[in-house]
């Protein structure tokens, strides 16, 4: 009875996750699938060939998306780490308020931010440029890295750094052998989230990029909204979906290994750390 | 170890670059608000953009629609997440499976979810084909207009599909060993499953639930992709209407679009205030005056 209940639960979860995604995967390899057939009339990789055609801009857009997301992940993680370090280890005046201010951008409506930024950029001559788009992606990504790294620093002991310095380690050696290893899981989780925020961003890219900056979500939206070409929509969907899945899988695997290593050395080191379960809002 | 004043200001210095990014965002929002208060040529001060919004029937339909989409998505997502978390609360493995499934959907970008649900729910979509195979409909026209229909059903379904897992992850994160210990204690003292849920689990998860609801509401109220792809053409959700106005070739529409941005921001600010009040009450209820 109990076993049957559990199996039903797992099946329901699987259906929930797969219901929209599985048809997408089938559509991506479909040549003809006319209503009311339940299975495709024929399978083909034509849509993939189309995606490989340079005229469709898919490869270039994937490159732009990756570059933007990696840049956002790097900058947001560094800024988030610095801010978290300042807030947690040095307890500056008004630390609570600063924390609130840094987290507030999760609530900012993307449309309002985009049109405001466009007003700024038009004045500063930054409009319709990749650098401007990267700067806008940074705003919604930052709260996640700050939140995750505050969690990471919560279990961090500044005395480890001081001890290493006393023993003659250079600043660089301390960063390389003490700070970064201790914060590795939090840094990784933060960078993953920031990457996802930028990778999924559509509206602000469209409005601030002014049509000059083309990313994968822009192509996906245009195809899904206008073309009626389901197979091509599905191919773009799969291309949008695969990097986050690979990233999440890799991050989870690395964190498991890291946890195992640290658990042996010092059980307390991982306990308050930012396990991915403390990271809300992957999708904002 | 206590840290003295000089290094306390150093803490602020470390936070300065991140604060600069937020300052940039705040300046951008202020400029947008300023632009909404200009006349049609973008000069001077005028409330005409807001007066025009009130007169436009398309726009007066958008605000209630977006409020409806956001509150329904939030309520259904929260109820689903609570039910699921409550159902597996007893088992460690159940929680792990739930966490994995919720995480899998969190990684899916909203735009992709919209495209996928479009393929699933449209007139010629898979669900419509299944309905025809089962003999319930004769063709795509018979199938209820989930996509692009006046009920915005596909929009709501997509939001629940994306946000219920989000609320679930937030609740599971708040489901600490301490909460489990209190549940065990209540059970030892003879509390049943339901009364444990009502008097122990729910009150302890309430702060996380409030926070999750605010984030879901703010997001679903302001997001563009899903209603733009799956919603009806009239009335359109507020962000869709705003983007349309912003892109219009008429220069005079610009203050109107900026005014809509301000309206969206104000609604979210109100929701955030309400959530803050609820959180404070919850805290007081738990710790006493």
């Amino acid at each position: 009875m109990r076993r049957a209940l559990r199996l039903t639960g797992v099946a329901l979860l699987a259906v929930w996750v797969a219901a929209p995604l599985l048809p997408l995967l089938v559509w991506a390899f479909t040549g003809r699938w006319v209503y009311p057939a339940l299975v495709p009339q024929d399978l083909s990789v034509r849509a993939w060939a189309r995606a490989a055609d340079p005229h469709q801009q898919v490869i270039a857009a994937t490159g732009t998306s990756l570059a933007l997301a990696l840049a956002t992940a790097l900058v947001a993680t560094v800024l988030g780490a610095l801010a978290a370090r300042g807030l947690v280890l040095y307890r500056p005046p008004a630390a609570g308020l600063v924390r609130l201010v840094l987290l507030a951008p999760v609530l900012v409506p993307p449309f309002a931010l985009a049109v405001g930024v466009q007003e700024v950029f038009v004045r500063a001559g930054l409009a319709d440029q990749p650098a401007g788009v990267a700067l806008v992606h940074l705003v919604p990504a930052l709260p996640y890295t700050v939140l995750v790294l505050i969690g990471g620093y919560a279990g961090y002991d500044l005395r480890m750094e001081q001890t290493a310095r006393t023993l003659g380690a250079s600043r660089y050696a301390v960063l390389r052998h003490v700070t970064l290893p201790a914060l590795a899981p939090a840094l990784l989780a933060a960078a993953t989230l920031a990457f996802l925020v930028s990778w999924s961003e559509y509206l602000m890219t469209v409005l601030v990029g002014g049509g000059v900056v083309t990313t994968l979500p822009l192509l996906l939206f245009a195809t899904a909204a206008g073309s009626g070409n389901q197979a091509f929509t599905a191919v773009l969907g799969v291309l949008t979906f695969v990097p986050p899945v690979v990233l999440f899988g890799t991050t989870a695997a690395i964190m498991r290994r890291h946890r195992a290593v640290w658990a042996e050395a010092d059980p307390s080191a991982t306990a308050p750390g930012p396990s991915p379960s403390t990271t809300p809002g992957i999708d904002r | 170890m206590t840290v003295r004043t000089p290094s306390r200001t150093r803490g602020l210095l470390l936070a300065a670059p991140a604060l600069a990014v937020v300052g940039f965002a705040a300046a951008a929002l202020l400029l947008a608000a300023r632009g909404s208060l200009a006349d049609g040529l973008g000069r001077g001060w005028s409330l005409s953009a807001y007066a025009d919004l009130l007169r436009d029937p398309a726009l007066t339909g958008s605000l209630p629609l977006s409020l409806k989409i956001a509150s329904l998505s939030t309520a259904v997502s929260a109820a689903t997440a609570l039910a699921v978390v409550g159902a597996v609360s007893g088992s460690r493995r159940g929680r792990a499976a739930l966490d994995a499934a919720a995480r899998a959907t969190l990684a899916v970008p909203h735009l992709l979810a919209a495209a996928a649900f479009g393929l699933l729910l449209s007139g010629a979509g898979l669900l419509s084909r299944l309905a025809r195979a089962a003999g319930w409909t004769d063709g795509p026209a018979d199938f209820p207009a989930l996509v692009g229909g006046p009920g915005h059903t596909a929009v709501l379904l997509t939001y629940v599909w994306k946000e219920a897992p989000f609320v679930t992850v937030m609740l599971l994160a708040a489901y600490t060993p301490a909460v489990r210990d209190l549940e065990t204690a209540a059970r030892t003292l003879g509390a049943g499953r339901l009364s444990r849920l009502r008097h122990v689990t729910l009150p302890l998860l309430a702060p996380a639930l409030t926070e999750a609801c605010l984030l879901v509401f703010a997001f679903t109220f302001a997001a563009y992709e899903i209603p733009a792809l799956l919603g009806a053409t009239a009335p359109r959700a507020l962000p869709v209407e705003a983007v349309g106005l912003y892109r219009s070739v008429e220069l005079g529409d610009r203050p109107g679009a900026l005014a809509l941005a301000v309206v969206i921001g104000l609604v979210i600010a109100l929701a955030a205030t309400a959530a803050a009040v609820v959180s404070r009450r919850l805290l007081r209820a738990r710790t006493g005056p």
Side-chain angles (χ1 to χ4, degrees):
Chain A
M1 174 63 198
R2 181 141 264 221
R3 200 181 136 78
L5 220 67
R6 196 165 64 219
L7 282 179
T8 322
V10 169
L12 275 177
L13 284 180
V15 168
W16 174 278
V17 175
L21 297 180
L22 217 54
L24 192 82
L25 208 59
V26 178
W27 265 115
F29 294 97
T30 291
R32 224 165 55 88
W33 191 4
V34 185
Y35 185 90
L38 285 179
V39 287
Q41 277 101 353
D42 65 70
L43 297 178
S44 126
V45 290
R46 209 164 48 224
W48 290 94
R50 186 172 166 189
D53 179 359
H55 286 297
Q56 298 292 336
Q57 291 183 297
V58 177
I59 295 170
T62 310
T64 310
S65 278
L66 268 179
L68 273 172
L70 288 174
T72 307
L74 182 69
V75 178
T77 306
V78 171
L79 294 191
L82 288 176
R85 187 182 175 85
L87 288 181
V88 177
L89 299 186
Y90 298 95
R91 304 216 186 99
L97 181 69
V98 172
R99 180 176 177 275
L100 203 63
V101 168
L102 290 178
L103 297 184
V106 274
L107 289 178
V108 167
F111 175 71
L113 185 61
V115 294
V117 162
Q118 198 57 350
E119 302 268 302
V120 178
F121 281 179
V122 167
R123 280 162 212 221
L126 259 175
D128 306 347
Q129 299 215 0
V133 176
L135 185 56
V136 181
H137 284 199
L138 197 55
V139 175
L142 199 57
Y144 295 108
T145 61
V146 170
L147 190 65
V148 171
L149 285 160
I150 284 180
Y153 267 109
Y156 186 82
D157 194 342
L158 193 58
R159 282 173 301 184
M160 290 197 299
E161 286 183 15
Q162 289 159 345
T163 309
R165 291 282 284 160
T166 318
L167 293 174
S170 68
R171 273 179 186 282
Y172 171 77
V174 170
L175 183 71
R176 170 90 176 69
H177 297 292
V178 179
T179 315
L180 288 182
L183 287 176
L187 289 169
L188 200 61
T192 306
L193 285 179
F195 182 96
L196 259 181
V197 169
S198 166
W199 182 261
S200 318
E201 184 54 56
Y202 170 75
L203 186 62
M204 298 202 296
T205 313
V206 162
L207 294 180
V208 176
V212 180
V213 182
T214 304
T215 59
L216 213 45
L218 263 63
L219 293 183
L220 176 59
F221 187 94
T223 313
S227 73
N229 186 339
Q230 285 100 334
F232 195 48
T233 306
V235 165
L236 291 172
V238 171
L239 286 176
T240 311
F241 182 51
V242 168
V245 170
V246 170
L247 195 66
F248 258 57
T250 323
T251 314
I254 293 177
M255 295 230 255
R256 246 196 310 276
R257 252 182 49 196
H258 183 96
R259 205 167 300 159
V261 170
W262 280 73
E264 273 169 40
D266 174 14
S268 70
T270 52
S275 82
S277 58
T278 55
T279 56
I282 281 158
D283 47 331
R284 296 310 95 123
Chain B
M1 188 188 76
T2 47
V3 184
R4 302 275 162 236
T5 324
S7 59
R8 281 173 59 114
T9 44
R10 192 171 165 213
L12 276 187
L13 220 59
L14 284 169
L19 281 171
V21 174
V22 180
F24 161 74
L29 292 175
L30 281 178
L31 268 180
R34 166 68 186 95
S36 76
L37 290 166
D39 63 14
L41 292 169
R43 292 198 210 98
W45 294 89
S46 154
L47 277 172
S48 61
Y50 291 90
D52 289 346
L53 288 190
L54 286 176
R55 273 198 298 272
D56 191 334
L59 298 181
T60 43
S62 290
L63 180 61
L65 173 68
S66 276
L67 285 174
K68 188 186 102 181
I69 290 176
S71 20
L72 269 179
S73 307
T74 309
V76 177
S77 302
T80 311
L82 269 180
V84 177
V85 171
V88 303
S89 63
S91 109
R92 233 176 91 92
R93 271 166 69 188
R95 272 196 303 271
L98 186 60
D99 203 45
R103 245 157 239 292
T105 52
L106 278 196
V108 178
H110 277 87
L111 174 57
L112 174 59
F117 269 87
L119 292 178
L120 188 67
L121 302 176
S122 69
L126 201 58
L127 214 61
S128 167
R129 294 168 194 235
L130 283 172
R132 149 109 202 225
W136 295 333
T137 59
D138 290 330
D142 272 0
F143 191 70
L146 303 177
V147 174
H152 288 76
T153 319
V155 177
L156 289 169
L157 282 174
T158 313
Y159 273 143
V160 171
W161 186 78
K162 271 294 291 171
E163 306 308 334
F166 170 70
V167 182
T168 304
V169 167
M170 297 268 289
L171 289 181
L172 285 176
Y175 211 117
T176 54
V179 177
R180 256 162 271 158
D181 289 348
L182 283 170
E183 281 179 344
T184 317
R187 189 168 55 200
T188 318
L189 293 171
R193 198 183 170 79
L194 264 182
S195 78
R196 279 204 310 272
L197 197 66
R198 185 166 137 50
H199 294 292
V200 180
T201 318
L202 267 184
L204 289 174
L205 294 187
L209 185 65
T210 313
E211 205 177 306
C213 282
L214 170 64
L215 288 173
V216 171
F217 182 91
F219 181 82
T220 50
F221 185 78
Y224 170 81
E225 295 95 321
I226 290 175
L229 277 181
L230 303 176
T233 42
R236 300 190 289 181
L238 207 54
V240 184
E241 198 68 50
V243 170
L245 208 57
Y246 186 70
R247 283 183 171 157
S248 128
V249 283
E250 305 244 347
L251 201 62
D253 283 343
R254 201 178 171 80
L258 297 183
L260 279 183
V262 172
V263 172
I264 294 172
L266 283 179
V267 170
I268 290 175
L270 274 178
T273 314
V277 170
V278 171
S279 306
R280 188 165 303 167
R281 288 244 173 102
L282 286 172
L283 193 69
R284 202 172 301 156
R286 207 196 305 181
T287 56

